Amino acid sequence: MERFIARRVGLGVVTLLGVLVLVFLLTHYLPGNPALVKAGSYADPRAIAAMEHQMGLDRPLPVQFQDYLAGIMRLNLGTSFNTGQPVVSDLRVRLPATMELALWSTIVAVLIGIPFGVWSGLRPGSARDVVVSGVAIFGTSLPLFWLGLIVLFIFYAVLKVVPAPDGRLSPFVTPPTTLTGLYSIDSIVTGNWSTFFDAVAHLFMPVLTLAVVEIAPILKIARSATIDVMQTDYIRTARALGLSEWQIIRQDLLRNVGVRLLTVVGIVLGYLLGGSVLVERIFNWPGIGLYAWNAMLSNDLAAVQGFILLVAFTYTVLNFVIDVLYAFVDPRIRYA
Amino acid sequence: MSEISSLTRALTEGRITRRTFIGQAALLGLSMSAIMALVEACTSSTSSGTGQKAKMLIGLDTDIDDLDPMDFKSDAAYEVVIQTYEMPVDNVTKPGPNGTLEATTDLQGILASSFTVSADGITYTFKVRPGATFSNGTPVTAKSFEYSYRRALLGPGYAALVMGMLTIKDPSQLKAVDDSTFQITLGSANPMAAKLLPLTVLDVMDPTVSNQQATGDDKWANAYYKTNILGTGPYVKGSTWQAGSQYLLEPNPKYWNPSKVKNAGVLLKYIPSSDDRLLLLQQGDLDLAFGLPAKNLDQLKSAKGVTLWTFPSRNTNYVVLNSHIKPFNDVRVRQAIAYALPYDTLIKNVLYGFGKPLKSVVAAGMPTSDETGWPYTTDLQKSKSLLSDAGFPNGFRSSLAVSVSRAEDADTAVWIQSGLASVGIQIEIQKLSDADYRAKQGADQLPMFIEYWYSWANDPFYQMFWLLQSKNVFTNLAHYANPQIDSLIQQGMYNTNDSQRTDLSKQAQTIFDRDVPLILLYQRDFVIAGRNNVTGVSVYPDQYLRFWGLSKS
């Protein structure tokens, strides 16, 4: 097991190094000079040169990369020129907002996707299977941006049952004392119920949008895993032994389906941390997605690099955790 | 029960909106009739009749990037700096239509309780307002004025350009005569001085804290001021300050003139999408929405509960023809293009009526503006004839660049493409990111591009200096070089004789009309969109709203 974990850690480090090089090169070969945007309309060549110097853009690329690596080792990802703040501090402030979205949408997606996927897979080809599969296909094919706008239109503009899509809390509502940074959790822990309700009301639309898209892969995997598992010898044996359907589902099916779902839930969660850019943009959700969106529009190199690195790091860590859990659940993996 | 009372208190104090109240009360299990009764009771107690000041909610189109008054920064950052710092003098305001406030060209003391100008127009003497303090309680003195002007002259940022135009080039021209008297001595009498002194880049800053925060590499404490606010203005940084999301400006408890502030604070929400700002304004979740494009403003013309405060603006929008790239060095080609553009269509289909054609490089609304010499209307025959004379009877191919962050420019480009195609000029529209656009512009790679300019100082020579002067001016993007124009600008800049200034300006405009290095398109109106119950909207030469006058019923 130790060798397995060591191998996975090594692979993770190599992956992150690869990402580092790629991100650095890609962002530096994007067209345009961010120093010109930052220096402004009145800037003369001297001011532009000073700005390039301040942003470190006047140094040779290998030197910039070396500085960049050294900075990362010290958790210094540079300063965003959009916000004037260190990127690490920007990401730290915004990450809880994105995590809150990812967490709640994944919980909603799992609570809906797994039961319906299993329910559908137990009777493949039946009417309920056709309906559930249809919903999964529909969910997969929905463009996130379009879905977000529809949700916004229905719940905010027409029904008027949710607060304005302008952040995590209503104007002038004070955030709860920071414990996790997730307002919904922190407000419960501190017993601040009016803030909790406000936070939940603000979460409703973005969580719904993300959950609809997220449910589809979970539902599909749960369904196909159920079909596969239900055809195995041990299920047939369990039935022959006279175990009830519920016992079979609880003791044999869900455990085996869970192994496969572990991967998909992990991947979806990782995707949400990076893929929430569009949803955050639509609902003005002040997370790392909106931060990345604004950074990309203005060639805010340090911010873009920081965002990609954070997502890559999260993805790598999630994959590592899933691999290790997988190995625990299924011993065949660690010896493969 | 305590949750219901805290909710009702929040609504009464204006901390939450009616919509939020209804949503949360429903979650607490109250019936709709009970909720509506509570709303009625709460909102009736917050009406203007009680004299209670309201908190204002504004949707921003840009984020706050840098709070140093003397740095170049985003529009949102300028807005915040203007509310939290003050200059020695500012423009006098007078009531305008629909409850608005309009700045005049006269000056009044702000941090200076009074000021005098010597008979020769060279020496300005300011008396420091007694009792004025920075928000940390430190009194404002003549040393504060002197430090700030020295910082503008020698420090970071671009305020040195303004000081140069004021003809202040040496710190010895700035002097704290005593604790309450500050004096500046200009290099020459300057007709632009009264227009430059109220600019926000000349804000007064605290020398004590600045010196404490200064370091060897940063002797003007630029790093400190980028993220901290320490001014004398009506507002201070509030308890809510979430980067990338929302920023609360609270009334400055130490402000020397508290009766000026008509609201209980302003929450600025950064909402990048103009469609979202439009929607939130329509739904009553914003009091004011900044930076709405003309298309959105048009949608609001008949919207219920929304008012558009529309002011004519000196904002100039034009196509730059790069004279370094052929065939735009040929005046006949430039004239042909000017005759081919669909000016009226642009006003109707791009600006939706929120603007007027621009017919002079000295925009209408600026002293000495003369539109009579601008000969260009859409005349395709004349355009074709000029192209033939220039050796392009069948037109030519080129490209027109726009920055993606300016949506209206992209629309304008499509109409320009269509107009030019009518005379055989085939252009490809290049939509570039801001960074790419500026880089290509700086590298002289763009033959044609759409630009805009807004002069904070309402002065014809200030405007022409930045747009047309050929030497040492990096905002002359067409690389236009005409010694006659250079000479006229130099003669007019510091000429204190009004009639001579007018004459010089008109001569320069006539030459510009003939040479057309820039194809003038339109002057976009300055429009603020807000709810009907908002009053106290103001318009200043810099077109940044002063929040202190805002209130709502």
Side-chain angles (χ1 to χ4, degrees), chain A residues 48-61:
Chain A
I48 294 166
M51 186 57 71
E52 283 177 340
H53 181 69
Q54 190 185 324
M55 296 169 84
L57 298 171
D58 57 343
R59 282 170 289 177
L61 207 58

Side-chain angles (χ1 to χ4, degrees), chain A residues 82 85 156 166 171 198 281, chain B residues 15 24 65 227 269 273 285:
Chain A
N82 271 352
Q85 303 287 326
Y156 174 65
D166 60 353
D198 195 53
R281 168 77 173 75
Chain B
R15 286 187 284 112
Q24 293 188 16
D65 56 350
T227 52
K269 286 228 157 203
S273 156
D285 285 315

Side-chain angles (χ1 to χ4, degrees), chain B residues 321-326 328-330 334 447 477-481 517:
Chain B
L321 303 178
N322 187 344
S323 64
H324 284 175
I325 297 177
K326 285 182 180 177
F328 303 113
N329 56 336
D330 187 329
R334 301 198 296 262
L477 298 170
H479 305 293
Y480 174 61

Side-chain angles (χ1 to χ4, degrees), chain A residues 168-169 173-177 183-184 186-188 190-202, chain B residues 3 6-7 24:
Chain A
R168 300 172 73 188
L169 292 173
V173 172
T174 312
T177 311
Y183 289 173
S184 50
D186 292 350
S187 53
I188 292 178
T190 55
N192 191 344
W193 293 104
S194 65
T195 303
F196 170 73
F197 289 129
D198 195 53
V200 169
H202 279 80
Chain B
E3 289 307 320
S6 78
L7 259 184
Q24 293 188 16

